[in-house]
Amino acid sequence: ANLTSSAVRAVMSEPTTDSQGADAWRVTIVIEPGSEERLKGDAVLTTLVEIQDRLQAEGEDRFAFVEYATMEELEQSGDP
């Protein structure tokens, strides 16, 4: 199982580079406040695999760095 829609508020992506300077994606999954306690390892792992699989199926070879945050955490970091 992957993450449920009740736990996810939004998904944002932007181009970035990896540690070797290769093009990559930064994917931020914005979760609803309080849902972090409900995120289970299997759901998180399945979501990561599905994102990479879908990108590759569309011909996108760039690696996706996926992070999770609440909107409050993004606002506090200055990265909404």
Side-chain angles (χ1 to χ4, degrees):
N2 57 4
L3 302 179
T4 64
S5 59
S6 65
V8 177
R9 182 173 185 178
V11 178
M12 300 178 288
S13 63
E14 64 183 351
T16 190
T17 55
D18 67 15
S19 63
Q20 303 296 313
D23 290 338
W25 284 107
R26 176 181 175 215
V27 178
T28 303
I29 298 175
V30 183
I31 57 173
E32 292 291 350
S35 64
E36 56 271 17
E37 294 92 26
R38 296 189 320 256
L39 298 180
K40 303 292 182 204
D42 288 345
V44 172
L45 180 59
T46 299
T47 299
L48 294 173
V49 171
E50 286 179 355
I51 289 170
Q52 201 65 49
D53 286 350
R54 286 186 184 181
L55 287 171
Q56 289 178 349
E58 294 295 323
E60 181 59 67
D61 291 329
R62 291 179 278 184
F63 184 78
F65 292 96
V66 180
E67 57 189 26
Y68 297 85
T70 63
M71 190 57 75
E72 180 181 355
E73 289 170 333
L74 291 176
E75 290 169 354
Q76 289 175 354
S77 71
D79 194 17

